[in-house]
Amino acid sequence: MAIRYWKEKQIFSIDTKNTTYQMKVDSCGFLLHLYYGAKVNGAMDYLLTYADRGFSGNPAEAGADRTYSLDVLPQEYPTWGTGDYRNAALLIQNADHSESCKLQYAGHTIKKGKYNLSGLPAVYAEENEAETLEIYMEDCVSNLKVTLLYGVVEQLDIITRSVIIENHGSENIIIEKAGSACLELLPGQYDLLSFCGRHTMERTVQRKRIGYGSSVFESRRGTSSHQYNPAFILADVNATEDCGNCYGIAFVYSGGFRFETEKDPYDQVRTVMSIQPEQFAYPLNPGERFVVPETIFSFSQNGFGALSHNYHNCINHHVIRRSFQKKMRPVLINSWEAAYFDFTGETMLELAKNAADVGIDLVVMDDGWFGKRDDDNSGLGDWEVNEEKLGCSLGTLIEKINELGVDFGIWIEPEMISEDSTLYRNHPDWVLQIPGRSPVRSRNQLVLDFSRKDVRDYIFASICKVLDQGNITYVKWDMNRSISDVYSHVNVRGTVLHDYVVGVYDFLEQMIQRYPELLIEGCSGGGGRFDIGMLYYTPQIWCSDNTDAIDRLKIQYGTSFGYPISAMGSHVSVCPNHQSGRITPFETRGIVASAGTFGYELDLMKMSEEEKKIAREQILKYKEMEHLVQTGDYYRLVNPFKNNNHVLWQFVSKDKKETIVCGVRLHSEANPHVYLFYPQGLDADMKYEDIATGKVYTGAALMKAGLPLPLTTGDYQSIKFTFRAVEK
Ligand code: GLA
């Protein structure tokens, strides 16, 4: 039993393999947080400290007890209006415009299996893999009922949280802030790791000490964004890759979010993950309910590496669609950097011929195949095949490509519209646009109102019409701007952005139902919507529009903290690189791209015979290791953000019998130093053979004494070691 309730003390204790999470209903009926961390036995309520704190008020339930104040006590789901002046998880505006809500315990249920959230992505599990705790809370004045949901995947050290808010009263209320979860940490010093970035440079790692006061990371863009990713790590100040306590907090949501940390004057740290509240005001009429998206927590006492493994395992086995969990992904060639908008059906066919020649599985026809779309100023919304450009019907093109033994995939951007399109001319009111104001253009396009079902239905029907024209096994779902001008012609202002996200999920769900075998790769100008919500529908996401192998070292490193390698779209592109102008060896581009779902993004027709030969080998080698990319444990060995001579990473099979260390030596040195590297996660007693040299080492020797890197010359040289267990 992962979840236990100790009636006498009214304590809930959640135990996973290595962690304990506890909370308690106190004498006043409030739900206080007690502990989250390494596994412990017994009740942790001794950690609660009651003291008379000046200017921290006391709720009526405490009577004359001035030592009882919600302003300083750790809580599970703090609301505004209880005398707690810290960041609240829930802010309710009542019918009389007062902002107040006091949630008290009303009961609970413990269930087998993991809860689902209607209309929202969430961790799923078999009945015997997870348990659910539902705690019922009530505000007795407004009759608001709030269910706190806890999902526990015991073996993976994963605890999920979500909230259902129901109006059982007789008056309309407004949810002004909807927190998914709050986590309070014991007094102490903590660092916060966040993953910030920009278009073409996503998820760079920032580590900052948490100081007094409140600090906020948020996306106001309507999407999870390139700028601030909705995954965070709180860590002991001395935590490293392989030691120290750390907590992961990741939102299963693809819209705007707010993540707050607040250190109070007593050194307690509160974190709250919520839907971005500034453009949110959700009316809840009597009888209605609102489901707050899920947050996934995990704790590791062995540093960031182990924490990442928990997330990777959780996403790979409990978020990614079942049918893709173990399915090897196609090696693909994408037409974008090969041809941009300048292609015909013949170009696609030539790409496919060359793809077949080097062993690529699938050709993706990127942007430019529909409507009037020869550049990025027009055509979005008109999802009709431009047969003139292709020189034939889509069905015929796909057949010809399939005859070559190559699969076919296509790019779409369903949420967008160009003003220069038939769709816009017919339905100008289908876009997000404030009446009387000129909307903000971005990439010269506007955003369709996906909070509206009629709009979604139209786009869905037109996209299905395309997908039904042939054997399409892959779709790249793009979204190339941030949302602005939040105004819907039919929906209430404060609901639009959230309903938009739910609309996108609904669309994706319908697509999956209709095309269960279709592999959808998410994309938003590269990695602008790289979040667990999207991964529920799209098992892989194009990691970045930056295909430069050296920049990718940082992007993929940062992404790997919260997301599995099997989810990161990563391609070999041409040199000089189109984004950075950098020149790197072809092998190096291959090594970096093989830490992800592998593919190419270049004009195969322009490749030299020598490059084709290397590509052929690259693909074979990738196929030899792709099971490790999909299912192995990933270790970040050397950090690209430190001024190191090289960057290294490693995959280890779950049975520890196979491991691959890959990397890039960044700078050549004359009369070079000897650099040792230290593989991890091996069986110390096992003997491992280096496949290239035939030399045999013990796991202990490799992990403790290390192995010298080869002395190479030239910048940006690739590194790869493959070891296989030979005997115990
Ligand atoms: C975005 C994507 C690219 C490409 C273009 C097409 O930028 O990230 O990979 O698909 O759109 O317009």
Side-chain angles (χ1 to χ4, degrees), residues 199 334 336 341 366-367 373 376 411 413 443 476 478 480 523-526 542 544-545 601:
H199 179 224
N334 182 295
W336 183 240
F341 292 101
D366 208 282
D367 198 353
R373 183 76 173 168
D376 57 11
W411 176 97
E413 195 179 4
R443 210 192 191 203
K476 177 172 168 190
D478 213 337
N480 278 317
C523 177
S524 174
W542 181 224
S544 177
D545 269 349
E601 187 99 9

Side-chain angles (χ1 to χ4, degrees), residues 88-106:
L90 183 69
L91 179 51
I92 296 289
Q93 191 190 120
N94 297 301
D96 62 5
H97 303 298
S98 63
E99 287 177 319
S100 186
C101 176
K102 185 158 71 179
L103 294 179
Q104 287 170 296
Y105 174 76

Side-chain angles (χ1 to χ4, degrees), residues 59 66 116 187 223 251 260 281 283 325 344 352 384 421 454 456 498 600 635 643:
R66 292 193 189 187
N116 296 319
T223 58
F251 209 12
E260 294 158 316
Q325 281 183 7
T344 61
E384 271 163 30
S421 68
D454 56 343
R456 295 199 305 269
H498 178 69
Y600 291 81
Y635 290 86
N643 203 12

